[in-house]
Amino acid sequence: MTTLISIDEAAAQGIERLRLPVWANPLDHLKIDIFDGKPGPWTHLYAPLNKECNGHDPIDVLCLQVDYTAKSYLPYEGPTSDSVEYKAAQAAFEGIFK
């Protein structure tokens, strides 16, 4: 298993994409903004369900009360939102709320 890292550690290492290992969908992940090796206050939550549920993907989240030092995350190395696999996962959710 890959070692868990914090958002602060990820930013210092230039790792922009992270995921929590407990998330059910393996394509769900965060993208953090990095400024001079530090994370910005916004994260961008990518999840194939977002497009159907919220009308767009990613969802921007202002993270003022998140513990950026908690070693809870894994680097995300999966497909990005412009990949065929990710778009197929989005399509699988189309119309589920109708």
Side-chain angles (χ1 to χ4, degrees):
M1 180 177 169
T2 304
T3 303
L4 297 176
I5 63 172
S6 70
I7 292 175
D8 280 343
E9 290 171 329
Q13 294 174 38
I15 300 170
E16 292 182 318
R17 295 182 185 270
L18 303 166
R19 66 172 276 104
L20 287 172
V22 298
W23 287 345
N25 189 321
L27 300 178
D28 293 352
H29 65 282
L30 296 174
K31 180 183 176 292
I32 59 173
D33 295 326
I34 301 173
F35 301 98
D36 296 324
K38 304 283 185 197
W42 290 94
T43 60
H44 314 281
L45 176 60
Y46 287 84
L49 179 61
N50 277 344
K51 189 172 181 182
E52 181 68 21
C53 186
N54 299 301
H56 56 93
D57 187 33
I59 301 298
D60 297 326
V61 181
L62 182 59
C63 293
L64 297 177
Q65 297 183 345
V66 173
D67 182 358
Y68 279 22
T69 64
K71 293 185 179 194
S72 304
Y73 299 88
L74 292 170
Y76 177 73
E77 298 171 347
T80 57
S81 61
D82 58 349
S83 72
V84 171
E85 182 179 350
Y86 193 95
K87 290 178 189 258
Q90 282 180 322
F93 287 112
E94 287 180 13
I96 65 168
F97 296 116
K98 294 179 182 174

